[in-house]
Amino acid sequence: MADLNVTFAGVPFKTPVVVASGTFGFGREYGEIFDLSRLGGICVKGLTLRPRLGNPPPRIAETPMGILNSVGLQNPGVDRFIEEELPYLKTLGTNIIANISGETVEEYAEMAEKLSDAGVDLIEVNISCPNVKAGGAAFGTSCDAAASVTRAVKRAARVPVMVKLTPNVTDIAEIARAVEDAGADAVSLINTLLGMRIDINTRRPVLKNNTGGLSGPAVFPVAVRMVWQVRRAVKIPICGMGGISTGEDAVEMMLAGADIVAVGTALFRDPFAAIRVTEGIVRYLDEHQIENVTEITGKVLLN
Amino acid sequence: MPVLTLAAVRDVRQLSASVWKMTLYSPELARPAKPGQFVHIKCGEGNFLRRPISVCNAQGDTLTLVFERKGAGTRYLSERRAGEKLDILGPLGNGFELRKGRYLLVGGGIGVPPLLYAAKSAESADAVLGFRTKDAVILEDEFRAACGEVTVATDDGSYGTYGTIAAPLREMLASGGYAGVLACGPRAMLRAVAEICAEHSVPCQVSMEERMGCGVGACLVCACKTREGGARAMRRVCKDGPVFWAEEVCW
Ligand SMILES: Cc1cc2nc3c(=O)[nH]c(=O)nc-3n(C[C@H](O)[C@H](O)[C@H](O)COP(=O)(O)OP(=O)(O)OC[C@H]3O[C@@H](n4cnc5c(N)ncnc54)[C@H](O)[C@@H]3O)c2cc1C
Ligand SMILES: Cc1cc2nc3c(=O)[nH]c(=O)nc-3n(C[C@H](O)[C@H](O)[C@H](O)COP(=O)(O)O)c2cc1C
Ligand code: FES
């Protein structure tokens, strides 16, 4: 069988498949359904310095081959996460990636420090949440703001730092270059694309928040294109995500330039999606007699 | 522990203009299912999300679902035929908390079906069932078989008692002796039931609805605003619910 081991930003991953932030909670629920040690890693639900209730429901709308969500970073706050969730997560035998959001640069830094002390494997800096008023994507849409968050987190963190990019920009490669220059160890992309659905009978948006983030298979080609653009712009490793639901999708994302991939929304249709993606990658590698999964990253043959 | 399974469709039949009853063979789902729990069903390739449908009854290896045809997902379900298989995740959610004693079940419209399994599981039960009109009445015989007293009310008075469930509910609660009320139906009805139960100091459990993603408690899209010991909290309809104590829900 092909070797799935990947060293990503200095962290060993036993498979290149992780689960995406916000789609997997803190692991407990899917832990009742399958063995989480089969995952390369878990990106936990987005954390903030203080607890957040999130946005009012409805928070989800179905779209052709996807969904819009407007959860708005509901979470118990970083301290309760460290106290109540992290001890369990650490027993799972998989990498734990803490996803953080702040309203100010200082908040990001404070969380990075706490989480480094608590012993997560990697910190994912979310500068791309479309569902919150303060902070969120505001940091991810300007090179200067993205760089200053990255620098602050890098100064505070003692574990590798991955910056999560928003697709809601004109030139994602430019933002990727800015965070690489600011010291990011890796980037992850894409977060959700801003979208909207309207009930034509009531004339009201389906989401209480009016707008939300699009994810699922519908965004896959956009994500592949952006991963490819970022691959050409930076040297740091990439965690590629956005609409992956099969092993073939994951291989495609890796050919475009991803070193590892994340599976998110596909879990809502198939709770075993991340496992099936992993198995699909192995099948592809074996069929093509490729020994190590790292050999396919960025190997798209351009026309 | 929820399982993902392929359940065999045994029978699909129409109960009213817009409501279907589906019987499935599935020991994995039927055996552990508790009243008030639901299952999350994949509805073909065209509908991305699964659809949550309550357990209407579970006997032995057989699971019964009753659903209203609202959009593409429930249309897909209504078009299944015996022998086909459905991809189902379940059983999910907490279900009703049933103790000893007599329960009063209050259902409105498509909220009526999940109460049938509660009726069969309770030590004893009475029911007040509300519908829009005579043609929308479903499962009346089944409730009569499973309950003591059953009152059917229609909004237009075309069948049973005229009006909403409020008046019969008040009357039955006044007669006393209920260990609790279990309610399922439209939000406005649930709110009214909660108020009436509070007036009579009868503990009331309500089954809430919200749009869902994962169905297992991981994605937080199915939030229900609640109070827990004075503090506001967003709880998950799919995992912490769908059944909540009425006084904890922020209506
Ligand atoms: C815990 C729970 C138990 C339920 N039990 C039953 C039942 O036993 N019988 C029954 O007929 N219906 C039940 N419902 C409602 C049922 O899930 C919806 O009617 C159904 O999802 C509509 O799907 P559709 O594709 O036909 O409609 P569409 O309107 O096309 O659906 C579009 C999207 O909105 C969602 N949606 C629409 N209406 C609702 C709703 N009321 N609640 C949650 N999601 C909704 C759908 O799941 C889908 O994602 C239950 C809902 C919940 C949350
Ligand atoms: C319900 C939901 C909640 C999400 N919450 C977060 C979050 O808290 N932090 C974050 O960085 N991304 C969040 N995301 C974005 C995902 O991590 C991912 O970037 C995006 O959904 C694209 O991947 P997918 O199509 O595989 O889901 C969320 C996505 C969904 C669907
Ligand atoms: S539907 Fe995902 S948490 Fe309830």
Side-chain angles (χ1 to χ4, degrees), chain A residues 126-201:
Chain A
N126 180 4
I127 51 167
S128 45
C129 182
N131 294 322
V132 291
K133 286 204 186 73
F139 288 112
T141 48
S142 115
C143 288
D144 289 346
S148 68
V149 172
T150 306
R151 266 193 301 273
V153 172
K154 271 302 285 180
R155 265 199 301 273
R158 285 177 302 282
V159 297
V161 172
M162 168 162 90
V163 179
K164 185 159 179 182
L165 307 180
T166 173
N168 303 310
V169 291
T170 314
D171 182 2
I172 195 166
E174 183 183 275
I175 309 277
R177 267 192 299 269
V179 302
E180 178 180 51
D181 291 344
D185 300 294
V187 285
S188 53
L189 61 141
I190 57 176
N191 207 318
T192 54
L193 283 145
L194 198 57
M196 183 175 191
R197 300 245 28 205
I198 300 167
D199 181 326
I200 59 167
N201 295 311

Side-chain angles (χ1 to χ4, degrees), chain A residues 224-244:
Chain A
V224 170
R225 183 264 293 178
M226 289 190 159
V227 164
W228 174 67
Q229 287 178 318
V230 170
R231 178 72 290 154
R232 302 210 295 182
V234 301
K235 296 211 165 50
I236 51 178
I238 299 173
C239 174
M241 73 187 93
I244 295 175

